[in-house]
Amino acid sequence: MSTRTTVGILGGGQLARMLALSGAPLGLRFLVMDTVADACAGQFAPLLVGDYRDEAALAQFAGKVDVATFDFENVPAESAEWLSARAQVFPNPRALAVAQDRLAEKTLFRELDIPVPEFATVASRQDLERALDAVGVPCILKTRRLGYDGKGQFRIRGYGDADAAWEALGAQAATVGLIVEAFVPFERELSVVAVRGRDGEFRTWPLTENWHVDGVLSASLAPARVEPELARRAVEHARSLAQRLDYVGVFALELFCRGGELLANEMAPRVHNSGHWTIEGAQTSQFQNHLRAVLGLPLGDTGAIGHACMLNWIGQMPDAGAVLREAGGHWHDYGKEPRAGRKVGHATLRADAPAALADALERVGRTLGRESQVAPPVAALRGL
Ligand code: AMP
């Protein structure tokens, strides 16, 4: 690595922005490519605006970067392949392709003995009946590709919902494909954020517990309070996945936990929202370690510093004061225009002890009128 090393990032959202911020102390330069001119990483790094399928734009990008990586997993796999013939690309396009398709992903999980909820693919309206019989109800009809943050999903509570589900997503059977998954009445959602270096070194941050609202992450707490045996299994699942995919960089494995059993939901082949707490709550953040991994540098320690809780700001930013007044309060505004459902920022609260973190969360929740957002992590911290 030299101070002239340029890291290219496909996708210019908040993940690219936080990667660029994290890479600045390493003397790195960045080039971000996005389809829109107001991509928020463009406020910190040169931005190339272009379509990911446009070979001229990709060639321009490849010519300027030493290594390329992703902030966005839905970059077409063919574009990643094309790029990898012209530049070093991490993670490799095969890992990206697997993570882009819920069927390929679940099939791989099964091959690796990572338990998954029952599932069946759906090609037509009649097929949906067969899938419902095979999987049972309640279940969720999901697009195989291009779904994120709960988008491209329809909850089927009983057979009577099949028409409405088909009405909502049926048209996408021919384009992105559909899959039915058993609904898991999970007790907790956990994620393993992991990093694998070019030399195969593998590390994980402490497990994170996550709470979603309408399919979108609302709060993350780390380290999650889990039995050591459960944590060991979660880490082994992530390790086997990383090895099989010859993965380089950071990824997240999302897990449902039910009755001591872990079921894999999906993997994200990039830095992940449930790892944002690592910026202030771990020795080395997921962003820093992702850059180190793709550049072949030594990985940093992934240990937690006390206890941290991340709160997502969706739609619009609340007032910063309540968080900034906290001793362990950290504010992240992604510089985006407010828009319903959009992730515009987050806050992380950090403390040395669970009770102190719970107190801080309650103060912030009260001041911002967000008691319901802080309630689940507070309950977990207080052992309720
Ligand atoms: P996904 O886009 O698949 O990560 O789904 C977003 C969120 O929806 C998950 O984090 C869960 O909270 C919920 N969800 C998705 N799939 C299931 C499932 N099979 N059973 C129960 N909840 C689910």
Side-chain angles (χ1 to χ4, degrees):
M1 186 181 78
S2 81
T3 50
R4 282 185 296 281
T5 301
T6 300
V7 177
I9 308 176
L10 292 169
Q14 66 269 20
L15 303 179
R17 179 180 167 115
M18 287 186 271
L19 281 168
L21 285 168
S22 173
L26 294 176
L28 298 171
R29 298 174 188 201
F30 290 86
L31 175 65
V32 172
M33 182 169 170
D34 201 289
T35 54
V36 297
D38 69 345
C40 71
Q43 295 162 19
F44 288 95
L47 174 69
L48 179 69
V49 180
D51 191 283
Y52 301 123
R53 293 184 195 275
D54 176 353
E55 288 186 1
L58 280 179
Q60 200 187 341
F61 177 81
K64 290 185 174 164
V65 306
D66 297 290
V67 58
T69 189
F70 307 92
D71 128 301
F72 174 63
E73 73 247 50
N74 289 320
V75 168
E78 315 80 68
S79 305
E81 281 287 355
W82 191 91
L83 198 61
S84 69
R86 289 156 184 85
Q88 296 199 80
V89 179
F90 299 110
N92 66 64
R94 190 170 76 89
L96 196 71
V98 167
Q100 282 176 355
D101 180 357
R102 291 187 192 272
L103 177 63
E105 189 176 60
K106 287 195 160 54
T107 307
L108 177 64
F109 289 159
R110 274 200 175 152
E111 258 174 62
L112 296 172
D113 284 330
I114 302 173
V116 290
E118 280 304 318
F119 64 90
T121 53
V122 178
S124 66
R125 176 66 183 84
Q126 295 93 302
D127 220 20
L128 179 57
E129 298 296 329
R130 179 197 52 80
L132 294 187
D133 283 337
V135 169
V137 288
C139 59
I140 307 187
L141 180 64
K142 296 184 179 180
T143 57
R144 268 172 59 181
R145 296 167 180 279
L146 300 179
Y148 66 98
D149 283 348
K151 295 184 179 67
Q153 302 194 6
F154 193 98
R155 182 97 175 259
I156 298 178
R157 291 181 168 77
Y159 282 86
D161 291 339
D163 279 333
W166 191 252
E167 176 91 0
L169 296 176
Q172 298 188 55
T175 53
V176 291
L178 298 175
I179 191 169
V180 158
E181 286 176 23
F183 180 80
V184 182
F186 55 78
E187 285 129 23
R188 316 168 72 181
E189 286 196 83
L190 301 168
S191 59
V192 192
V193 182
V195 61
R196 186 167 177 272
R198 284 200 198 180
D199 60 357
E201 184 183 359
F202 177 82
R203 295 182 186 222
T204 59
W205 281 266
L207 246 63
T208 304
E209 179 160 10
N210 303 306
W211 293 271
H212 292 78
V213 174
D214 297 331
V216 184
L217 187 65
S218 170
S220 292
L221 180 67
R225 289 192 174 179
V226 290
E227 307 71 52
E229 161 55 19
L230 197 87
R232 190 198 59 76
R233 253 187 289 147
V235 170
E236 283 320 305
H237 292 336
R239 188 197 306 276
S240 63
L241 199 54
Q243 278 171 356
R244 172 64 74 90
L245 293 172
D246 194 19
Y247 196 93
V248 173
V250 167
F251 68 97
L253 175 63
E254 296 179 22
L255 300 158
F256 299 131
C257 179
R258 183 174 187 229
E261 204 190 357
L262 289 175
L263 296 170
N265 176 31
E266 63 179 359
M267 82 167 284
R270 51 170 172 74
V271 286
H272 192 250
N273 198 167
S274 71
H276 289 1
W277 65 269
T278 62
I279 298 175
E280 294 91 5
Q283 293 287 358
T284 312
S285 80
Q286 61 165 349
F287 300 99
Q288 170 81 196
N289 260 350
H290 183 71
L291 294 171
R292 292 190 193 196
V294 303
L295 291 166
L297 298 171
L299 301 181
D301 188 293
T302 48
I305 308 169
H307 300 261
C309 182
M310 189 240 27
L311 302 170
N312 256 352
W313 306 137
I314 314 282
Q316 60 180 45
M317 296 297 294
D319 180 59
V323 170
L324 296 179
R325 268 193 291 278
E326 292 294 331
H330 303 274
W331 193 250
H332 296 261
D333 183 330
Y334 305 150
K336 290 175 163 181
E337 289 302 317
R339 192 195 299 157
R342 193 178 206 196
K343 290 177 177 171
V344 291
H346 76 265
T348 297
L349 295 170
R350 204 209 64 80
D352 290 334
L357 180 56
D359 290 345
L361 281 166
E362 281 178 335
R363 281 192 296 271
V364 167
R366 248 193 328 269
T367 310
L368 297 180
R370 288 173 175 265
E371 289 88 346
S372 62
Q373 185 175 10
V374 303
V378 166
L381 285 161
R382 298 211 191 280
L384 301 174

